[in-house]
Amino acid sequence: MKHFMVLHLVIWIHVILLFGIAGSERPESVKIGAVFTFDSVIGRVAKAAMEMAVSDINSDPTVLNGTELNLIMKDGMCNAFLGSTGAFQVLEQGVIAIIGPQSSAMAHSISQIADAVHVPLISYAATDPTLSSLQFPLFFRTVQSDSEQMSAMADLIDFNGWKEVIVVYLDDDYGRNGISSLSDELENRRLKIAHKLALSIQFDLNEITKLLNQSKVFSPRIFVVHVNPDPRLRIFSIARKLQMMTSDYVWLVTDWLAATLHSFLPSNQNALSIVEGVVGLRQHIPDSSKRRDYISRWKKMQKEGIANTSLNSYGFLAYDTIWTVAHSIDKFLKVYKNITFSLHDNNMVAHTEGIGIQLEKLKVFAGGSDFVEILLKSNFSGVSGQIRFNSDRNIISSGYDVININQMKINKVGYWSNHSGFSVVPPEVLAKKKHRRVSVDQKLGNITWPGGKTERPRGWVIADNAKPLRIGVPKRASFVEFVTELQDSHHIQGYCIDIFMKALEFIPYEIPFVFKPVGNGKSNPNYDALVKKIDENVYDAVVGDIAIVTNRTKIADFSQPFASSSLVVVAPINSSKSNAWVFLKPFSADMWCIIIASFFMIGVVIWILEHRVNDEFRGPPKRQIVTMFMFSLSTLFKTNNNTVSSLSKMVLIVWLFLLMVITASYTASLTSILTVEQLSSPITGIDSLIASNWPIGYQVGSFAYSYLTDNLYVSSSRLVSLGSPEEYAVALRNGPSGGGVAAIVDELPYVELFLSKETDFGIIGQPFTRSSWGFAFQRDSPLALDMSTAILKLAESGELQNIHEKWFCKMGCPGERKSDPKPDQLHLISFWGLYLSCSVISVIALVLFMLRMISQYVGFKQRQKDVAASSLEPSDSRCSRVVVNFFNFIDKKEDAIKKMFTQSDNPHNPNSEL
């Protein structure tokens, strides 16, 4: 018995040692599973790509170090239950990772199974954004999530200026969750999905025809299609038959279409004619030598019959997915040496006899958590670009290509990435330049839309069964020229109506509408309440003198402004009033001082220059002073005097030019000031009006009241409500002392209409608010944009001004009587350059004169010295005497100096005194 126990112990030791040695060696092979739909656009290319990847890995000695990678593939047949069954089958065989599936619905169910046994699931095609790492911590994705794709799609819609879209999608996890993500992205950009057209998973031609026919009654013409790859292109085939591939329509697609078209063999390329004008997204695969080599190998496989499909983006992703797993396995084995499994807790699974799957035999991957951490740190360059995962276990986005099908070709018109937006430069190039996303830099190439047009489609039409637009118009009681309803004919007319009707001519489609008058015609309606009815869906739009103010823009969209409605002050004007000292106002005090000083200076300069040569500048001091200043006031005549020296003429011409400029400026300024002097009250603008404490008139219903009380803090007791223009005129003529008002504050168009009939009043000062009138529409209405474009065309063509003159210039345009109460006076700073130039010229003339005098004096003194030397007479060289002699010299007349030189030449002349 004792020997038996020793023998038994020895056997167990050998067993333990055997398994310990075996456990420390790398396994001969490692199994991974793949569950996907074999017979599908993505499945066919993925199967060939994964088989190629396994072959490349097993033939590469630097990967797995001799351990063979075995790929076990199961067909999910586009069914979540069969996909789950396939997952159980590959797990029974001891796989440490599952590749796939391509279906998002299948990924949800398989992820739960994989989580239970700690086996990571890596998908190259499941794009459902709800497959999050929080719910499925072992789910990895080497394809970009639809949250990324829908951000690109929303940017594409926003880039083209469209507001509403219709979506066509599959009614499954992939379709619903993708469209939900699109809806969120559009909402962030103040855009929206107007209608949703859901298709069953196995949609047929009848179902498509029914849904597309239903969509014809909708206004939006922007369709976003998010379905599975469809080689038959059924949606577009039906759309073509229903005349929905014309220039009125826009078709945008997610990357399913690119995957479909790229999978076509050359013999099927004619099918591209069905999708002419369609614009879509495609997974961006950066250019690289690996990518080019992979494409070359694929074409060789096609020729050899190994691959029965053309290569699409999912072929790149599936190939790199296998390599991602292989690199992670290699790192795992280097650290942990072997792969081990443990039995599953039998209490957690039920016995399922009869279906070929024994759940109780499923084993848990013991190193699953460590393997997941290694996967998460993946970082290598593959055929699809750089393979790296973010914290959500999604591949870091490489962006999308924007493609356009035209002339039976797939044309790349640009790129999109989440950091640079749209560009014609690849995202990886912009990333190296650290290019930031700026709206003005967004750019795409030329796109040909359905119908062959290159001009961007409007994206909406008036629906076939649409009711006429309900347009509310205010039935005004005062200032009816803007908009009102005629009592007898019930015809709607006015300035605003003329602009609206003319703008409709610039909109390239018919808009059925009906005017709905609002108000009783006895008092003006409340405009805030009128705009609010748009938000309440009582009206589709409001046309009239509607001021664009903050509280209204929160509930309605406005068109481009068609008129300025800034607040202005209107007061009486009187041409009989004048001011005896008004002639002094054009120039400021410093300007008058410098002008007077300049006359003194020019007189002095001319006197210095002319004193020696001109008899008029000689004689007694009193006479010379009078002549000096009289000459400065009559420069125009003296410049023509032949006795004036050339230096004096130069100075006089410059100063004459200065005088002409000052005179012209004075005349213009005086004319402006005389206009202001016509005002019959001291009011010069809104500030002086408020400070005067006089009563102020305003129009009932105008926002002038709220602005004066809320913003300028004017007491409501000072404000007098007025109705029609007749009340305006009476109140202004009576004035504050007669029970009227000192001035009226109102919106500019009302004032212009009032002044078109009254000539005794004018606008005082400048507008003191900045506001405008526009037409109001329901929020996100595309008609607001088209109406804005039409109004801009009205302005550019001159029609807007013509309508303005028709209504406001019956007695001369009121703008001609608009005056500035305080025109700017002319200050020295406006003329300092000219004064400086004149001063410089004068100084130069004086310097030349003095140099000439010094030269003459030196020459004269030299001759005197020569005479003194010959006569041996002493000379006085004291400084004071020299200065006195010099000034005596230059005080002499020119003729006298010439005689002095003659006397110096004649030593016997007894009259030389200097």
Side-chain angles (χ1 to χ4, degrees):
M1 183 65 181
K2 183 177 180 180
H3 292 288
F4 175 77
M5 292 180 65
V6 172
L7 180 62
H8 188 267
L9 180 61
V10 171
I11 292 173
W12 271 108
I13 292 174
H14 279 80
V15 170
I16 293 173
L17 290 174
L18 179 64
F19 277 93
I21 294 172
S24 64
E25 294 179 354
R26 292 174 67 99
E28 294 183 359
S29 66
V30 177
K31 298 176 183 178
I32 60 174
V35 180
F36 59 99
T37 302
F38 292 0
D39 188 19
S40 65
V41 170
I42 297 177
R44 285 188 290 270
V45 70
K47 186 174 185 295
M50 289 190 291
E51 289 173 344
M52 184 195 301
V54 171
S55 175
D56 291 345
I57 292 166
N58 288 332
S59 61
D60 188 344
T62 63
V63 183
L64 295 180
N65 195 21
T67 299
E68 184 178 4
L69 182 67
N70 292 332
L71 177 64
I72 303 171
M73 295 186 287
K74 296 295 180 180
D75 190 356
M77 301 179 67
C78 291
N79 184 284
F81 174 75
L82 295 179
S84 300
T85 302
F88 280 122
Q89 291 173 343
V90 297
L91 287 172
E92 279 184 337
Q93 299 187 48
V95 299
I96 66 168
I98 299 177
I99 310 299
Q102 68 201 53
S103 164
S104 294
M106 200 181 299
H108 277 274
S109 58
I110 295 179
S111 290
Q112 298 183 41
I113 299 171
D115 287 350
V117 292
H118 299 176
V119 172
L121 177 67
I122 307 100
S123 176
Y124 53 83
T127 57
D128 181 358
T130 64
L131 287 165
S132 66
S133 59
L134 292 177
Q135 184 178 4
F136 306 109
L138 272 66
F139 178 78
F140 287 77
R141 182 161 29 206
T142 57
V143 65
Q144 297 179 81
S145 167
D146 272 344
S147 61
E148 198 80 11
Q149 180 168 211
M150 293 310 173
S151 178
M153 182 61 70
D155 275 352
L156 182 60
I157 296 167
D158 190 31
F159 175 79
N160 287 281
W162 299 314
K163 300 296 183 181
E164 297 181 342
V165 299
I166 299 173
V167 294
V168 181
Y169 65 100
L170 284 184
D171 192 16
D172 63 357
D173 289 343
Y174 159 75
R176 287 190 301 269
N177 296 330
I179 294 304
S180 176
S181 181
L182 175 62
S183 179
D184 292 341
E185 293 291 342
L186 291 175
E187 187 176 347
N188 292 338
R189 296 162 177 79
R190 287 193 62 187
L191 313 175
K192 69 176 183 179
I193 296 175
H195 305 281
K196 295 181 180 181
L197 306 180
L199 291 169
S200 62
I201 297 177
Q202 302 296 333
F203 58 87
D204 57 22
L205 298 181
N206 291 332
E207 184 181 1
I208 298 171
T209 303
K210 180 181 178 181
L211 285 179
L212 293 185
N213 267 324
Q214 291 176 357
S215 70
K216 281 189 171 183
V217 302
F218 303 142
S219 292
R221 286 292 185 265
I222 312 297
F223 285 81
V224 178
V225 183
H226 184 55
V227 296
N228 287 327
D230 179 20
R232 296 165 58 188
L233 302 175
R234 287 169 288 179
I235 292 176
F236 293 105
S237 297
I238 299 299
R240 196 177 188 85
K241 291 180 181 179
L242 297 178
Q243 301 297 312
M244 296 177 68
M245 296 294 289
T246 60
S247 58
D248 286 338
Y249 290 84
V250 173
W251 292 89
L252 307 177
V253 295
T254 51
D255 68 337
W256 69 269
L257 182 63
T260 301
L261 299 181
H262 284 295
S263 67
F264 286 168
L265 295 173
S267 58
N268 294 338
Q269 293 299 311
N270 290 335
L272 269 66
S273 62
I274 299 175
V275 289
E276 284 281 324
V278 174
V279 175
L281 300 175
R282 178 179 64 194
Q283 303 272 343
H284 175 62
I285 307 296
D287 186 34
S288 66
S289 58
K290 289 185 177 181
R291 176 180 181 271
R292 293 190 293 271
D293 180 63
Y294 183 68
I295 294 173
S296 177
R297 292 176 60 196
W298 192 276
K299 291 179 179 178
K300 183 179 179 181
M301 288 170 56
Q302 280 186 279
K303 291 180 181 179
E304 295 174 353
I306 299 174
N308 61 351
T309 180
S310 294
L311 180 62
N312 61 30
S313 58
Y314 291 97
F316 291 92
L317 302 177
Y319 181 87
D320 278 347
T321 302
I322 297 294
W323 272 95
T324 302
V325 174
H327 281 303
S328 298
I329 293 174
D330 186 47
K331 293 177 182 178
F332 181 86
L333 292 177
K334 286 178 180 179
V335 176
Y336 301 101
K337 307 303 181 183
N338 209 337
I339 295 172
T340 59
F341 293 88
S342 60
L343 291 177
H344 202 289
D345 186 354
N346 291 337
N347 295 326
M348 297 180 63
V349 294
H351 295 271
T352 53
E353 299 177 357
I355 64 172
I357 302 175
Q358 297 178 352
L359 299 183
E360 67 274 9
K361 292 186 178 181
L362 289 181
K363 298 178 182 179
V364 176
F365 179 21
S369 298
D370 297 321
F371 186 55
V372 166
E373 290 300 318
I374 293 174
L375 271 172
L376 190 58
K377 296 177 182 178
S378 297
N379 188 356
F380 70 96
S381 179
V383 296
S384 64
Q386 198 68 19
I387 305 299
R388 288 185 302 158
F389 297 101
N390 59 25
S391 58
D392 292 329
R393 293 165 171 73
N394 291 323
I395 193 75
I396 293 179
S397 174
S398 60
Y400 289 87
D401 298 335
V402 182
I403 61 171
N404 175 221
I405 291 82
N406 181 35
Q407 297 181 350
M408 297 178 62
K409 293 181 180 179
I410 302 175
N411 299 318
K412 182 164 57 181
V413 295
Y415 307 88
W416 178 93
S417 71
N418 53 14
H419 68 271
S420 61
F422 292 111
S423 172
V424 293
V425 179
E428 59 272 15
V429 175
L430 294 178
K432 291 179 181 178
K433 297 179 180 179
K434 297 183 179 180
H435 184 273
R436 295 183 178 180
R437 183 170 184 162
V438 182
S439 58
V440 294
D441 292 339
Q442 303 296 287
K443 186 185 298 183
L444 287 175
N446 295 328
I447 295 177
T448 301
W449 303 97
K453 288 189 175 182
T454 56
E455 182 181 359
R456 180 182 300 162
R458 184 175 63 251
W460 75 284
V461 296
I462 300 298
D464 293 346
N465 66 341
K467 298 178 181 178
L469 290 178
R470 303 157 298 172
I471 300 179
V473 292
K475 188 176 180 180
R476 294 189 59 89
S478 63
F479 293 100
V480 294
E481 289 85 352
F482 288 103
V483 56
T484 195
E485 180 188 33
L486 299 181
Q487 294 294 340
D488 298 333
S489 63
H490 298 289
H491 178 67
I492 307 296
Q493 69 172 25
Y495 166 71
C496 300
I497 299 300
D498 282 1
I499 292 178
F500 177 76
M501 298 302 294
K502 196 67 179 179
L504 290 180
E505 298 178 10
F506 287 85
I507 296 179
Y509 52 90
E510 293 294 328
I511 300 179
F513 66 90
V514 57
F515 286 131
K516 300 284 187 179
V518 180
N520 54 19
K522 297 180 181 179
S523 61
N524 296 331
N526 185 299
Y527 280 32
D528 286 336
L530 181 57
V531 174
K532 189 175 181 180
K533 288 185 178 181
I534 296 178
D535 187 48
E536 296 171 349
N537 200 30
V538 176
Y539 301 119
D540 299 301
V542 170
V543 170
D545 47 337
I546 312 299
I548 305 174
V549 293
T550 304
N551 63 317
R552 296 173 185 172
T553 58
K554 294 178 180 178
I555 58 176
D557 283 348
F558 282 83
S559 69
Q560 173 79 16
F562 61 84
S564 171
S565 63
S566 302
L567 291 178
V568 295
V569 177
V570 59
I573 58 176
N574 188 346
S575 60
S576 62
K577 186 176 180 180
S578 185
N579 187 333
W581 298 98
V582 69
F583 68 90
L584 295 175
K585 292 187 177 181
F587 292 147
S588 61
D590 59 344
M591 186 63 184
W592 278 118
C593 292
I594 203 66
I595 289 174
I596 295 172
S598 66
F599 279 106
F600 280 96
M601 188 178 78
I602 188 65
V604 171
V605 172
I606 297 300
W607 179 84
I608 293 173
L609 298 177
E610 295 295 318
H611 178 66
R612 299 177 64 251
V613 297
N614 198 323
D615 291 335
E616 295 181 13
F617 288 84
R618 302 188 67 81
K622 181 178 180 180
R623 178 189 172 188
Q624 293 188 48
I625 292 174
V626 172
T627 302
M628 179 174 61
F629 292 111
M630 291 298 294
F631 191 88
S632 66
L633 295 174
S634 56
T635 54
L636 180 61
F637 304 100
K638 291 299 179 181
T639 54
N640 295 324
N641 193 328
N642 293 329
T643 63
V644 176
S645 67
S646 58
L647 286 178
S648 296
K649 286 183 179 181
M650 178 179 69
V651 173
L652 290 173
I653 290 173
V654 173
W655 282 99
L656 178 61
F657 176 74
L658 171 62
L659 182 62
M660 292 173 61
V661 173
I662 292 176
T663 303
S665 302
Y666 175 87
T667 303
S669 180
L670 181 61
T671 302
S672 177
I673 291 174
L674 287 174
T675 303
V676 175
E677 289 295 325
Q678 295 176 356
L679 296 175
S680 62
S681 71
I683 297 172
T684 58
I686 186 62
D687 293 334
S688 62
L689 176 61
I690 295 174
S692 68
N693 208 31
W694 286 335
I696 303 171
Y698 72 94
Q699 181 192 173
V700 177
S702 170
F703 78 93
Y705 178 87
S706 60
Y707 188 87
L708 289 171
T709 56
D710 298 342
N711 296 77
L712 302 181
Y713 308 107
V714 178
S715 172
S716 59
S717 61
R718 289 182 56 191
L719 302 180
V720 180
S721 61
L722 301 171
S724 63
E726 292 77 12
E727 293 185 29
Y728 274 35
V730 172
L732 288 173
R733 288 193 175 98
N734 290 339
S737 59
V741 296
I744 293 174
V745 175
D746 205 350
E747 296 173 56
L748 181 60
Y750 301 124
V751 171
E752 288 183 327
L753 181 59
F754 168 67
L755 295 181
S756 70
K757 302 175 182 179
E758 298 286 345
T759 58
D760 296 335
F761 311 99
I763 296 174
I764 310 301
Q766 300 295 325
F768 56 92
T769 65
R770 290 290 181 266
S771 185
S772 303
W773 285 353
F775 302 136
F777 298 88
Q778 289 189 356
R779 293 296 297 270
D780 302 322
S781 170
L783 184 57
L785 179 61
D786 288 349
M787 181 58 68
S788 296
T789 304
I791 290 173
L792 287 175
K793 291 180 179 179
L794 276 180
E796 293 169 356
S797 66
E799 289 291 338
L800 199 61
Q801 181 62 27
N802 293 338
I803 297 174
H804 179 274
E805 293 177 357
K806 169 187 172 182
W807 288 95
F808 300 145
C809 296
K810 297 177 181 178
M811 296 179 65
C813 288
E816 299 171 0
R817 299 198 300 280
K818 180 177 179 180
S819 61
D820 186 354
K822 280 189 177 181
D824 292 338
Q825 288 183 314
L826 298 174
H827 295 265
L828 176 60
I829 193 172
S830 302
F831 300 91
W832 75 268
L834 193 55
Y835 269 110
L836 179 61
S837 301
C838 295
S839 300
V840 170
I841 296 297
S842 299
V843 171
I844 291 173
L846 289 175
V847 169
L848 292 175
F849 172 81
M850 292 303 296
L851 289 176
R852 180 186 174 194
M853 290 298 98
I854 292 172
S855 176
Q856 287 183 350
Y857 182 71
V858 170
F860 173 74
K861 294 301 292 181
Q862 184 63 42
R863 293 187 183 186
Q864 275 193 332
K865 286 182 179 181
D866 294 339
V867 173
S870 62
S871 62
L872 301 177
E873 293 181 0
S875 61
D876 190 353
S877 60
R878 288 178 299 172
C879 180
S880 60
R881 185 58 183 171
V882 171
V883 173
V884 171
N885 289 342
F886 175 75
F887 279 105
N888 288 336
F889 178 80
I890 65 175
D891 186 53
K892 298 292 183 179
K893 194 175 179 181
E894 185 75 18
D895 293 337
I897 292 177
K898 291 180 180 177
K899 291 181 180 179
M900 293 166 62
F901 273 96
T902 302
Q903 293 173 358
S904 297
D905 293 334
N906 185 0
H908 302 289
N909 188 349
N911 296 324
S912 178
E913 298 178 357
L914 294 177

